[in-house]
């Protein structure tokens, strides 16, 4: 940890703080938002935060990437000691949100400049094309902000991809079952929904916006901006939108697109999809599950204003690839905490920790670390697994392991699956025939018989915990590694070499003596 905390009240102050700690890489070499930027981010996935000072075709813009790509950087920004504490701190923020604060326009950097004419937003906010397979670019890293009476009195923040094919009007993709889906259904055919799309945000807002499909813990009408406030330790500043009533923008944003969502006006996301009249066939915007996304018919968003910081201040945008380290950390941090909270609402104290490995693709699964304190706790681990699968569209696998398993080591988890699971009794398919998730290819392919066009095969709950009272049958050997100092036999350079060369599960077992 550092003695000099970083000011995370805005993206700008965050970058200044990282630069002051020599943690920010800056380049003035121009980069192309068409395929090139995404390719560089993929090649540098998991690397340090980077500021691009020159964007081809957008002289006023700057790009930021990898702000959330490294766990150590995320922990430093928010003061988390480790992954377990991060999950518990975020869970605490879910229970104790700090409501946002409303500022006036003259106090809001996001409204230094207001554009109300010639409103094609991609004149100001830079879209990116991820891959050569896609024919059109998208805006995907903006945070949708919906609040007040259009969200049950609370606040919702989340991610929705847009393609402004018609200038001031663009498609606005909504995941089935999401908060935005609920709001659209609530107001369908009655009135358009006023909202804003915010870019270049305080890190806590970016992180909290990754919450999704955790709706037993974060129901319709909750205060997700309040969660962001609790994470940054102070209220998130909002400002009323300039062109639409009942909408707000993040006051410290770099750019804001204001307007109305019309759920009744559905159009194809790409020209190719419109030409063929096909949904779910043509490549468009990669998806969190690690597969190429497809173009669909989606609701439309009508722009009424674009506001931004002064262009001579070089506003920032944080585009990001999908199925990468940065996107994964954003999408799983609040989700992990919500699953931890869900488990401990079912049986307080039962769940010690939760982890979503990168290979489980954001929403696709989770590993629960269970503490059975008495025989009364036996069986509740299965209640937790089934609840997680039933309440979270897109989750396909939920695993429960004991405290002695390091849930941050996929090898340790795989060892528990191999040695502790009875396939006849410990593998449960709890929700066959339920609603699936369109962005999971196997569930999309199995659809057709359901109105949602997806079919859920039921998911898989795997109980890899030791039955209570039988721990002695599963005792792991403990080598006395803590009692030996290798320097008694080897030079320091040999010890250093060993540290470099031991990897993965071998290193974990060697250091723990298991």
């Amino acid at each position: 940890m550092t003695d000099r905390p970083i000011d995370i009240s805005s993206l700008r102050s965050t970058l200044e703080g990282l630069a002051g700690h020599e943690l920010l890489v800056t380049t003035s070499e121009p980069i192309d938002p068409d395929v090139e930027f995404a390719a560089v981010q993929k090649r540098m996935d998991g690397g340090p935060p980077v500021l691009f000072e020159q964007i081809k075709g957008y002289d006023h813009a700057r790009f930021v990437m990898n702000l959330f790509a490294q766990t150590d950087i995320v922990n430093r920004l928010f003061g988390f000691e480790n992954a377990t504490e991060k999950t518990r701190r975020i869970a605490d923020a879910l229970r104790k949100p700090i409501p946002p604060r409303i500022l006036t326009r003259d106090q809001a950097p996001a409204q230094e400049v207001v554009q109300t004419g010639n409103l094609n937003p991609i004149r100001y906010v830079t879209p990116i094309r991820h891959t050569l397979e896609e024919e059109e670019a998208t805006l995907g890293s903006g945070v949708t902000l919906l609040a007040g009476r259009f969200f049950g009195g609370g606040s919702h923040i989340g991610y929705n991809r847009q393609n402004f094919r018609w200038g001031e009007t663009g498609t606005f993709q909504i995941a089935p079952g999401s908060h935005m889906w609920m709001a659209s259904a609530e107001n369908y055919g009655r009135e358009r929904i006023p909202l804003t799309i915010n870019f270049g945000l305080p890190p806590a807002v970016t992180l909290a916006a990754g919450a999704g499909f955790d709706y037993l813990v974060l129901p319709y009408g909750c205060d997700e901006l309040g969660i962001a406030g609790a994470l940054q330790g102070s209220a998130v500043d909002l400002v009323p939108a300039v062109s639409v009533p009942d909408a707000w923008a993040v006051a410290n944003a770099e750019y804001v697109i204001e307007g109305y969502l019309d759920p009744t006006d559905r159009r194809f996301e790409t020209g190719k999809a419109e030409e063929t009249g096909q949904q779910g066939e043509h490549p468009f915007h990669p998806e969190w599950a690690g597969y190429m996304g497809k173009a669909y018919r989606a609701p439309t968003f009508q722009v009424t204003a674009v506001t931004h910081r002064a262009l001579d201040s070089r506003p920032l945008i944080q585009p990001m690839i999908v199925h990468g380290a940065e996107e994964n950390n954003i999408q799983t941090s609040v989700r992990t905490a919500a699953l931890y909270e869900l488990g401990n609402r079912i049986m307080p104290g039962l769940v010690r920790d939760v982890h979503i490995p990168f290979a489980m693709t954001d929403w696709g699964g989770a590993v629960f670390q269970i503490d059975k304190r008495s025989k009364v706790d036996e069986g509740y681990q299965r209640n937790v697994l089934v609840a997680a699968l039933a309440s979270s569209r897109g989750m396909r696998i939920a695993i429960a392991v004991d405290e002695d398993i390091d849930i941050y080591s996929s090898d340790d988890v795989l060892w528990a699956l191999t040695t502790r699971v009875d396939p006849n009794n410990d593998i449960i398919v709890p929700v066959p025939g339920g609603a699936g998730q369109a962005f999971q290819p196997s569930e999309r392919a199995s659809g057709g018989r359901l109105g949602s066009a997806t079919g859920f095969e039921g998911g898989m709950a795997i109980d890899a915990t030791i039955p209570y009272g039988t721990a002695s049958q599963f005792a792991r050997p403990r080598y006395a590694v803590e009692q030996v100092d290798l320097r008694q036999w080897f030079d320091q350079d040999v010890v250093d070499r060993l540290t470099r060369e031991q990897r993965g599960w071998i290193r974990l077992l060697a250091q723990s003596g298991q």
Side-chain angles (χ1 to χ4, degrees), residues 134-315:
E134 302 157 84
E135 295 184 348
E136 301 180 34
T138 54
L139 292 175
S141 63
V143 170
T144 301
L145 197 170
L146 177 67
R149 69 183 182 90
F150 288 92
F151 188 64
S155 67
H156 162 73
I157 45 178
Y159 296 94
N160 305 87
R161 71 188 184 207
Q162 301 97 36
N163 186 9
F164 286 94
R165 296 181 56 210
W166 305 274
E168 298 179 4
T169 302
T171 55
F172 187 97
Q173 182 58 252
I174 301 174
S178 66
H179 276 162
M180 281 305 306
W181 183 275
M182 298 175 193
S184 297
E186 179 76 15
N187 294 280
Y188 189 88
R190 295 168 49 194
E191 56 184 322
R192 298 181 301 169
I193 301 171
L195 54 83
T196 63
I197 307 168
N198 302 257
F199 298 83
L201 295 166
V205 178
T206 299
L207 193 68
F213 295 97
D214 314 311
Y215 303 140
L216 289 182
V217 175
L218 296 173
Y220 186 83
C222 69
D223 185 8
E224 292 178 344
L225 279 169
I227 295 167
L231 289 175
Q232 72 178 16
S234 61
V236 174
D237 289 333
L238 300 182
V239 62
V242 299
S243 62
V244 286
D246 297 319
W248 291 263
V250 177
N252 280 327
E254 299 282 319
Y255 306 88
V256 178
I257 304 172
E258 300 182 1
Y260 290 97
L261 175 69
D262 187 351
T264 66
D265 180 12
R266 301 178 65 84
R267 307 186 192 182
F268 283 100
E269 291 185 285
T270 68
K272 189 69 173 178
E274 184 174 21
E275 178 185 333
T276 64
Q278 292 176 302
Q279 289 202 80
E281 293 294 332
H282 300 288
F284 185 59
H285 195 286
E287 287 296 348
W288 54 270
Y291 295 92
M292 175 55 75
K294 304 295 184 181
Y296 293 89
R297 288 180 67 216
T300 55
F301 184 81
Q302 179 66 50
V303 180
T304 55
V306 177
T307 74
H308 52 79
R309 293 176 184 245
L311 293 184
D312 59 9
S313 74
R314 310 288 312 286

Side-chain angles (χ1 to χ4, degrees), residues 337-386:
L339 292 171
Y340 172 84
E341 180 72 7
L342 172 66
N344 285 314
R345 289 184 184 184
I346 292 172
M347 173 52 79
L350 180 74
V351 177
R352 296 297 300 273
D353 203 358
V354 179
H355 179 49
I356 300 175
F358 185 30
M360 283 185 169
T361 64
D362 302 0
W363 298 345
V367 182
F368 294 80
Q369 188 181 59
I370 300 297
D371 177 18
K372 297 179 186 175
R373 298 151 297 182
S374 71
K375 63 182 180 181
V376 174
D377 286 340
E378 183 61 63
Y380 273 103
Q381 74 277 9
R382 300 190 178 204
N383 293 58
V384 171
L385 297 179
V386 171

